[in-house]
Amino acid sequence: MTKYFLTIDNGGTNTKAIIFNDHGDQMGSVAFPTPRIEEQAGFHEIDLNESWGSISNAINKVIAKSGITNDEIAGISCVGHGKGLYALDKDHKIFMHGILSTDSRALSLAERFENKVSDIYPISHQHVMETQSPVLLRWLKDHKRQDYDQIGTILAAKDYIRFRLTDNVNQEYGDASGNNFVDLDKQAYSKELFDFFGIPEMFDKMPSLKKFSDFCGGVTPQAAKETGLKEGTPVYAGMFDIDACSLATGVLNDDYFSSIVGTWNINVFPSKTRADQDSGLMNSIYPTGSNLVEASSATSAGNLDIMIKTLMSEEIKNATAHSRSIYDVLEEFLDHTDATFTKTIFFPFLYGSNVAPDAEGSFIGIQSSTTKSAMIRSVYEGIIFAHRYHIEKLLKVADHKPKAIRISGGGTNSKAWVQMFADALGLPIETVKGSELGGLGGAMASAVGTGLYANIDEAVKHMSQLKDRVEPDEQQYKIYTQKYDVYLDLLHTLDHGWAKLRNMQERIGQL
């Protein structure tokens, strides 16, 4: 008898409810833009009640869309963006907005902590980022003490959704270990980390840790009423979205790297060892039991979305008038151009950078003859170069080239862009069947949790299916490498100018 699994995938850009069967086939999906509040520059928040209302609506719709009854759903898992902050009070009530993973309010605070990261790297094996929960908690302590003092428990994005389904509070190891909360050797919260960030009072407010396939409770009567789910349906811990996407693409060891082309630029591989501090890389706990070595930044497809809206408003209107998507138009454009088309360099740093804290998005090499098309193609290329920057760091740690890079995220919807990745990286690119790979990883967690598959390796074997393999074009690789070398040279040249730019912006902002 076929089993069905529901995943709620809470991404930074879109949130989805997806149903899969036990072979990994996608039965139905309902998506909506993740609601975002931006009342101040750099502050990216979410109304948690509004979010839950939209999620409940999506679950009702996806059950109907999939053509199954709610009692056919064997298990539920949640997948979510890492970092950010989702806090409840001591009675597990909502009292403040959630903070998304693109928030940058604590940038200067993170820089201060990163300057002392050698004090904690042997514990967490993590560098410090402005969107990590401990940094945001310290920011609240310094700037919104009333909210800070109200906090009763701390969750990640997916943990909050699981709480709304079950009324139980837990954190899952993948998120917690990727968020500077956990001693990787002991696989437990570390009091030393809370002391380092100056938030010792939060140590006793952390919920219990769960493995990805651990049972975390059943759907409550209230959640069943709101979502259309059957009361008591088992809910499992779920996964950090990086882990979910990597496993959905079949990445179980260092034979393959995983790259996620989405809101964030995420590049990882499982390893028996850990990256050291000087590598600049992060380490977390992978569902297989290995370490996950990670290089990531907010320098991926989110930059493309905003530049398309900025540069191509007229083209969007024309496409809509002809019942087409702007992405269909751009796909044809990419198919008919190559690495020689644009001579402009784009830095995809609109939401943050992977080179310097103060680096910002910019075009270099614009002339009077530069077209919008050339600028848009340079955006596609600049995002790939930002991925290449991370992947080259992973290659040094792995000390070997992978058989292929398995790619996931919104970027896989463009075959032309996938080919560009292969050409610019000089490595084969593989994609897998299905469009909602984070959701598929969550379904694997449910499949293991219910006992359908004995472990995650077996779930991957039965539920992940390769779709395409793209080989790099050697001539295109040579051209892209010339561009990438200039990209790096320009970054090096600007290294001491970014802080001055930020200081100038702040001074003007105060006038």
Side-chain angles (χ1 to χ4, degrees), residues 58-202:
I59 294 171
N60 276 286
K61 287 182 177 179
V62 79
I63 294 171
K65 187 175 182 179
S66 299
I68 64 172
T69 56
N70 63 2
D71 59 355
E72 292 181 271
I73 297 174
I76 303 167
S77 289
C78 301
V79 168
H81 69 79
K83 306 175 179 62
L85 180 66
Y86 293 72
L88 305 174
D89 70 13
K90 60 182 176 60
D91 297 317
H92 295 171
K93 303 296 183 184
I94 294 168
F95 69 96
M96 60 176 282
H97 289 154
I99 301 177
L100 294 165
S101 63
T102 51
D103 193 275
S104 61
R105 73 185 70 185
L107 179 60
S108 60
L109 188 58
E111 290 174 23
R112 281 167 39 202
F113 285 126
E114 177 63 19
N115 288 334
K116 302 184 292 180
V117 74
S118 57
D119 293 349
I120 60 164
Y121 199 88
I123 301 171
S124 66
H125 298 273
Q126 290 265 309
H127 286 275
V128 180
M129 301 178 71
E130 66 270 22
T131 54
Q132 288 173 333
S133 297
V135 181
L136 290 167
L137 287 166
R138 177 56 185 270
W139 188 93
L140 288 175
K141 185 175 183 178
D142 292 346
H143 299 279
K144 289 192 173 183
R145 187 58 188 254
Q146 186 174 354
D147 283 347
Y148 182 81
D149 288 340
Q150 252 186 288
I151 293 173
T153 195
I154 297 154
L155 304 172
K158 72 176 187 310
D159 302 322
Y160 167 72
I161 299 168
R162 190 189 331 104
F163 159 72
R164 293 301 296 253
L165 290 167
T166 66
D167 271 351
N168 296 325
V169 293
N170 303 108
Q171 276 226 24
E172 180 267 331
Y173 275 101
D175 261 325
S177 65
N179 214 358
N180 245 323
F181 275 138
V182 170
D183 182 321
L184 286 200
D185 290 323
K186 297 178 181 177
Q187 298 204 356
Y189 295 123
S190 167
K191 192 172 188 310
E192 290 87 348
L193 294 174
F194 288 78
D195 290 342
F196 173 81
F197 288 107
I199 52 170
E201 49 280 333
M202 290 294 145

Side-chain angles (χ1 to χ4, degrees), residues 127 257 267 269 275-282 293-296 354-356 386-400 484 488:
H127 286 275
F257 288 4
N267 311 273
F269 73 93
D276 61 28
Q277 180 181 332
D278 291 340
S279 70
L281 303 178
M282 313 278 267
V293 180
E294 173 194 346
S296 63
N354 54 2
V355 292
H387 276 268
R388 179 168 170 173
Y389 185 88
H390 283 318
I391 289 168
E392 290 189 346
K393 288 188 175 184
L394 294 182
L395 289 169
K396 289 180 181 178
V397 173
D399 201 29
H400 71 273
Y484 180 68
L488 293 179

Side-chain angles (χ1 to χ4, degrees), residues 116-371:
K116 302 184 292 180
V117 74
S118 57
D119 293 349
I120 60 164
Y121 199 88
I123 301 171
S124 66
H125 298 273
Q126 290 265 309
H127 286 275
V128 180
M129 301 178 71
E130 66 270 22
T131 54
Q132 288 173 333
S133 297
V135 181
L136 290 167
L137 287 166
R138 177 56 185 270
W139 188 93
L140 288 175
K141 185 175 183 178
D142 292 346
H143 299 279
K144 289 192 173 183
R145 187 58 188 254
Q146 186 174 354
D147 283 347
Y148 182 81
D149 288 340
Q150 252 186 288
I151 293 173
T153 195
I154 297 154
L155 304 172
K158 72 176 187 310
D159 302 322
Y160 167 72
I161 299 168
R162 190 189 331 104
F163 159 72
R164 293 301 296 253
L165 290 167
T166 66
D167 271 351
N168 296 325
V169 293
N170 303 108
Q171 276 226 24
E172 180 267 331
Y173 275 101
D175 261 325
S177 65
N179 214 358
N180 245 323
F181 275 138
V182 170
D183 182 321
L184 286 200
D185 290 323
K186 297 178 181 177
Q187 298 204 356
Y189 295 123
S190 167
K191 192 172 188 310
E192 290 87 348
L193 294 174
F194 288 78
D195 290 342
F196 173 81
F197 288 107
I199 52 170
E201 49 280 333
M202 290 294 145
F203 180 75
D204 292 328
K205 298 182 179 182
M206 300 303 295
S208 61
L209 289 164
K210 296 287 186 180
K211 293 182 179 178
F212 73 100
S213 58
D214 283 351
F215 173 72
C216 293
V219 172
T220 65
Q222 180 63 32
K225 180 180 178 181
E226 293 168 341
T227 63
L229 291 165
K230 182 182 177 181
E231 181 183 339
T233 303
V235 182
Y236 301 95
M239 296 183 190
F240 185 14
D241 59 4
I242 296 175
D243 297 347
C245 288
S246 300
L247 288 167
T249 57
V251 175
L252 291 167
N253 53 53
D254 61 6
D255 285 345
Y256 296 91
F257 288 4
S258 167
S259 286
I260 303 173
V261 185
T263 305
W264 271 59
N265 166 354
I266 299 168
N267 311 273
V268 297
F269 73 93
S271 175
K272 294 179 180 179
T273 59
R274 298 181 186 132
D276 61 28
Q277 180 181 332
D278 291 340
S279 70
L281 303 178
M282 313 278 267
N283 304 272
S284 60
I285 300 169
Y286 201 45
T288 61
S290 296
N291 301 289
L292 191 71
V293 180
E294 173 194 346
S296 63
S297 57
T299 56
S300 197
N303 287 265
L304 178 63
D305 291 340
I306 196 168
M307 291 313 304
I308 288 172
K309 292 174 184 175
T310 301
L311 292 175
M312 308 199 78
S313 57
E314 192 62 36
E315 288 81 358
I316 292 171
K317 289 180 184 177
N318 290 337
T320 303
H322 291 86
S323 301
R324 302 186 71 197
S325 163
I326 186 61
Y327 293 99
D328 294 332
V329 175
L330 288 170
E331 187 71 2
E332 293 175 2
F333 160 66
L334 294 176
D335 273 333
H336 290 88
T337 57
D338 65 9
T340 65
F341 183 80
T342 181
K343 285 78 176 175
T344 302
I345 297 293
F346 175 72
F347 293 148
F349 304 154
L350 302 180
Y351 295 103
S353 104
N354 54 2
V355 292
D358 296 313
E360 297 189 350
S362 39
F363 290 96
I364 297 182
I366 295 177
Q367 301 173 336
S368 61
S369 58
T370 303
T371 64

Side-chain angles (χ1 to χ4, degrees), residues 29-40:
S29 176
V30 172
F32 60 90
T34 301
R36 180 185 302 232
I37 301 166
E38 298 183 24
E39 294 177 347
Q40 289 179 252

Side-chain angles (χ1 to χ4, degrees), residues 379-440:
V379 173
Y380 280 95
E381 293 179 0
I383 291 169
I384 297 173
F385 293 156
H387 276 268
R388 179 168 170 173
Y389 185 88
H390 283 318
I391 289 168
E392 290 189 346
K393 288 188 175 184
L394 294 182
L395 289 169
K396 289 180 181 178
V397 173
D399 201 29
H400 71 273
K401 286 187 177 182
K403 294 177 180 178
I405 293 178
R406 291 188 171 167
I407 195 171
S408 58
T412 60
N413 295 323
S414 168
K415 288 185 177 180
W417 203 11
V418 171
Q419 181 65 61
M420 288 172 65
F421 265 91
D423 294 343
L425 297 176
L427 291 166
I429 302 292
E430 293 180 346
T431 58
V432 301
K433 292 181 180 178
S435 58
E436 303 297 348
L437 299 183
L440 178 57

